[in-house]
């Protein structure tokens, strides 16, 4: 009688490789969890306690608009002084001709155009005219982004380097989307030695603001203090 | 008579079970990590560690356009600012006085020491539109010094004092 040969299993299932893979996967998971917990703990921000103060006397405000993640220099004070040149000789009756003449000067800077307008108030006892400045951004001129201002060649950096921190202070008007941009720009300005302030940007553009004959502001305005 | 011999190689190996348990442990760690993240809150958090730069002690407030949050207690005081309704600043400020009456912020306004303390307001983007009116109320009407700083909307705020 022939012996039936036992059929032997030629192969064995070795789980060592699977064990290595699983151990590796667990290691990666642990690393991800640890990294995530560290991230979730939060970012520590050291913040100087801000306090609103009047700007130093004798200094000029330089205003920057941080809007839609772009920063633009709004040289309103220079534009106003150019537009209102000769205003001291202007009476109620020649306001319209003065405004027309000022607008012909075509005052503008790189980002904005500046024009004048006027409004007449009259009643049986008095007549008054107010002069307004209208600030219109150039549609096709983009401001600088967060990435742009970090470069040495950025317009913002070159501008603040050309200004004297003892004679100027910087004010930012910031909208909801541009907080990070504002903080970077502020950091650069502070490094240069400027006093800096900020306010939320709540004025729409084109912007119209009374500059002559308004009887002063009611309440504290925006962009007027350092922090 | 043929002998039936049990193969010595056919042993019960526990290694696969060990591996499955290790994998299960890893998955549980991952789930636990996810639960920790969710319980700590969605979004990044900012821990403000103030560096004293003024002579006064700051009291931190948070403004989001509708509520004031007084830190560190996190007392929430609702506030409605509708300046268009009022013909004068005086009436507007009187309305805010009325809203703050008998609230935690109203009590804080009464007991604050103006020479030694002031407010630092952390302003959320949702509070940008009407923050200037709130600021002027504190500064011009209540004669309390104020400072302010913007913060992103989705950041969780913790102030280390």
């Amino acid at each position: 009688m022939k012996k039936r040969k036992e059929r032997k299993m030629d192969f064995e299932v070795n789980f060592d490789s699977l064990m290595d893979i699983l151990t590796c996967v667990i290691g990666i998971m642990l690393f991800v969890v640890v990294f995530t917990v560290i991230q979730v703990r939060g970012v520590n921000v050291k913040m100087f306690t801000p306090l609103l103060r009047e700007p130093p006397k004798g200094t000029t405000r330089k205003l920057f608009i941080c809007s839609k993640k772009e920063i633009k220099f709004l040289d309103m004070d220079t534009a106003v002084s150019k537009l209102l040149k000769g205003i001291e000789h202007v009476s109620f009756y020649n306001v319209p001709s003065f405004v027309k003449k000022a607008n012909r000067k075509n005052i503008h800077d790189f980002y904005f155009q500046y024009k004048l307008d006027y409004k007449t108030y009259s009643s049986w006892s008095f007549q008054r005219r107010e002069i307004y400045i209208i600030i219109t951004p150039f549609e096709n001129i983009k401001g600088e982004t967060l990435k742009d201002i970090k470069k040495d060649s950025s317009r913002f950096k070159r501008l603040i380097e050309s200004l004297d921190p003892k004679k100027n202070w910087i004010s930012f008007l910031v909208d909801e989307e541009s907080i990070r941009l504002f903080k970077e720009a502020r950091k650069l300005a502070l490094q240069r030695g400027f006093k800096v302030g900020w306010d939320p940007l709540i004025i729409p553009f084109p912007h119209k603001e009374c500059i002559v004959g308004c009887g002063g502001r009611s309440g504290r305005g925006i962009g007027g203090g350092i922090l | 008579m043929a002998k039936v011999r049990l193969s010595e190689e056919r042993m019960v190996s526990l290694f696969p079970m060990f591996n499955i348990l290790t994998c299960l442990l890893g998955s549980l760690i991952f789930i636990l990590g996810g639960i920790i993240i969710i319980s700590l809150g969605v979004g990044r958090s900012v821990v403000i560690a103030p560096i004293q730069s003024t002579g006064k002690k700051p009291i931190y407030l948070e403004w989001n356009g509708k509520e004031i949050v007084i830190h560190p207690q996190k007392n929430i005081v609702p506030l409605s600012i509708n300046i268009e309704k009022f013909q004068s600043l005086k009436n507007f400020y009187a309305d805010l006085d009325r809203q703050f009456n008998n609230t935690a912020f109203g009590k804080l306004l009464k007991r604050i020491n103006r020479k030694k303390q002031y407010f630092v307001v952390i302003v959320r983007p949702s509070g940008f539109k009407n923050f200037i009116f709130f600021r002027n109320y504190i500064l011009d009407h209540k004669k309390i010094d104020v400072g302010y700083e913007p913060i992103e909307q989705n950041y969780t705020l913790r102030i280390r004092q």
Side-chain angles (χ1 to χ4, degrees), chain A residues 31-90:
Chain A
F31 180 75
V32 167
V33 166
V34 166
F35 180 75
T36 310
V37 168
I38 288 167
Q39 280 290 309
V40 164
R41 275 184 63 206
V43 176
N44 270 359
V45 172
K46 289 211 168 129
M47 187 179 87
F48 284 98
T49 44
L51 175 61
L52 186 64
R53 289 165 292 206
E54 293 295 322
K57 279 186 184 165
T59 55
T60 309
R61 182 186 68 169
K62 295 297 176 190
L63 188 58
F64 288 88
I65 306 292
C66 298
S67 173
K68 294 187 174 69
K69 299 182 183 176
E70 290 176 356
I71 187 167
K72 295 180 182 178
F73 177 45
L74 177 60
D75 198 4
M76 182 170 153
D77 297 333
T78 306
V80 166
S81 63
K82 285 180 183 172
L83 286 167
L84 294 183
K85 201 173 178 183
I87 188 74
E88 54 277 2
H89 307 296
V90 174

Side-chain angles (χ1 to χ4, degrees), chain A residues 1 9 70 81 89 187 209 211:
Chain A
M1 192 161 82
M9 300 274 284
E70 290 176 356
S81 63
H89 307 296
K187 188 175 96 178
E209 186 175 319
I211 52 174

